[in-house]
Amino acid sequence: MECKDVENKWQAYFDGTCSEEDEQLIDEHLNSCEQCQHRLQMEIGQQESQAIKEKSRIEHKSRVNGLPIKKQKQLLRRAKWKNRFTNAFTIFFLFIFTTLISGLLTGLYYGFGGEDGKAHQATQVVKTATEMTMPNVYLFDSTINIKAYFTAEIQMSIKKQLGGNSKTIGQLEGNMLLNKLTVNRDWYDGQYDLNLSFIHPYFSSNQLEEQIDLERTLHETWGTLEMLPEGTVAELVVSFDEQYDIQEVNDLLSDYDLDIVWYAINTGTEKDGTGYGSPYLTAGDDLFGIHDYAVFDYIEGGLTDSGGDGKREEAFKKGLKFLAENEQMTKSYMPFIDDNISLTERYRYAETHGVKSYGVVVTGPTKELFKLQENEAITYAVVGEVDFYNWNSAPTSGSIYY
């Protein structure tokens, strides 16, 4: 072969695709041609250099992307858990941070202003509305728990006086979210019986058809008190023949050994009845009054100083004004309050006409309450709860809650 012939078969020779005969002829030519030998050495060098580069590339790729499958999975799993931990830690940190900030803001929102703060205001609305619309019921031991995210909890004991003792009859729990108040009352007997009812003087003097029923009910009430044994105390609702000042009410009952615990007060609509054609007014109807415990919320010193009767009247007007100033919250707690006359109108009526009572809740020894049948000012009466005698004061008393 000549150099020209080898040139034409050079690539096939290196690829190993030429025939055996051509391969032998090319070998013979290379043995005798220095020029082609030099070219062969150059070609081999290039091939070796290329092979080294390819090997290096493969090794590098193997180190970066060509790790063993097991190793790749381990690294991938480790990266995933690291990301998960980082995300979880970030979320947890944000939750704690948000909770702390919201707790601080919630505390400022409800507590700012002291007694004028929203939490205290809501508590006072619940206390005042309860004590002014539910005969012989008052709230005690109030606690406020301010939480995060603009929520707060209100807890109070629901009590009444029976004889000489205060009796817990339920628990009240309120929840606040900003200005929205929801309240749940858990009565110990599962319910609050509406058996303490009043009759406005308008009905007892003008509704002749009702007088027979009123006289019969009054007769049955005195008969019940007469049958009850000596060693008992009871609560009794009495309604009067007309409206009296609180001082006049106390004078009417001053000769009896009993406690007046709640005064029914006229606010301008009671003579219209309940709206269902019934003259009986009770909790849940158009009934307002004043409890002695409410006096301590609105009058400094409560009833401990002189002028107790005037303080009750002043406390009633202040309490009614407070409810009028917070009418939306009051009606969310007491939705049964008549919408036909606003709390502001009731307050103005009391300011204009004075604080007049047409009935009271009294409690004391049963036989002492029975003596009230002699009082000509009483036109209607109904017995409430009865208990064993507890009229004498105990040397010490209290409760265990835990």
Side-chain angles (χ1 to χ4, degrees), residues 128-398:
T128 303
T130 298
E131 294 164 359
M132 293 186 71
T133 62
M134 304 188 74
N136 194 20
V137 173
Y138 65 97
L139 299 179
F140 198 67
D141 294 332
S142 61
T143 59
I144 302 172
N145 297 319
I146 297 177
K147 298 190 171 182
Y149 305 106
F150 297 96
T151 61
E153 289 183 351
I154 300 171
Q155 295 180 340
M156 286 178 274
S157 297
I158 309 174
K159 292 179 173 287
K160 69 184 302 183
Q161 183 175 335
L162 185 57
N165 291 344
S166 294
K167 178 181 179 181
T168 302
I169 58 176
Q171 295 292 327
L172 182 144
E173 294 184 357
N175 294 284
M176 290 194 69
L177 177 59
L178 297 176
N179 287 328
K180 185 178 180 181
L181 172 66
T182 57
V183 176
N184 177 59
R185 288 177 290 199
D186 183 17
W187 304 104
Y188 283 174
D189 292 334
Q191 61 186 13
Y192 176 74
D193 295 326
L194 302 177
N195 56 357
L196 303 182
S197 58
F198 295 86
I199 296 291
H200 193 272
Y202 174 82
F203 287 96
S204 60
S205 60
N206 296 296
Q207 302 296 315
L208 298 179
E209 294 180 359
E210 299 288 346
Q211 286 184 358
I212 297 177
D213 289 335
L214 296 181
E215 291 174 0
R216 184 175 65 247
T217 301
L218 186 61
H219 178 73
E220 292 173 350
T221 297
W222 301 136
T224 299
L225 291 173
E226 185 178 18
M227 288 187 296
L228 287 170
E230 180 76 28
T232 57
V233 293
E235 68 178 337
L236 182 72
V237 174
V238 297
S239 298
F240 301 126
D241 56 350
E242 59 180 279
Q243 301 179 52
Y244 295 97
D245 294 334
I246 290 182
Q247 178 62 57
E248 294 173 330
V249 171
N250 291 337
D251 291 341
L252 283 172
L253 304 177
S254 61
D255 293 334
Y256 304 95
D257 185 20
L258 51 78
D259 282 347
I260 304 174
V261 293
W262 199 82
Y263 299 79
I265 306 298
N266 193 60
T267 61
T269 64
E270 287 79 4
K271 68 181 182 63
D272 298 329
T274 63
Y276 301 98
S278 172
Y280 301 98
L281 297 171
T282 186
D285 296 326
D286 201 20
L287 181 65
F288 279 82
I290 182 71
H291 196 289
D292 273 355
Y293 273 95
V295 178
F296 291 90
D297 290 329
Y298 291 97
I299 303 298
E300 185 177 355
L303 297 171
T304 56
D305 300 329
S306 60
D309 299 325
K311 289 182 177 181
R312 290 184 180 94
E313 295 174 354
E314 184 182 356
F316 177 79
K317 289 188 288 188
K318 285 187 175 182
L320 195 55
K321 182 180 180 181
F322 175 77
L323 294 182
E325 293 170 346
N326 297 275
E327 185 155 358
Q328 183 177 359
M329 185 177 293
T330 301
K331 287 189 174 181
S332 69
Y333 171 56
M334 295 287 190
F336 53 78
I337 295 177
D338 189 359
D339 287 330
N340 295 323
I341 178 171
S342 69
L343 292 171
T344 301
E345 292 176 284
R346 295 177 189 272
Y347 167 70
R348 290 173 180 168
Y349 183 92
E351 280 282 0
T352 303
H353 297 86
V355 177
K356 302 289 186 179
S357 174
Y358 56 89
V360 293
V361 179
V362 297
T363 185
T366 301
K367 296 310 176 184
E368 190 69 19
L369 298 180
F370 176 64
K371 296 178 183 179
L372 289 173
Q373 68 175 326
E374 305 167 355
N375 195 313
E376 296 180 355
I378 297 175
T379 59
Y380 174 77
V382 60
V383 178
E385 192 172 350
V386 179
D387 201 353
F388 293 108
Y389 192 88
N390 59 17
W391 193 239
N392 297 328
S393 299
T396 183
S397 62

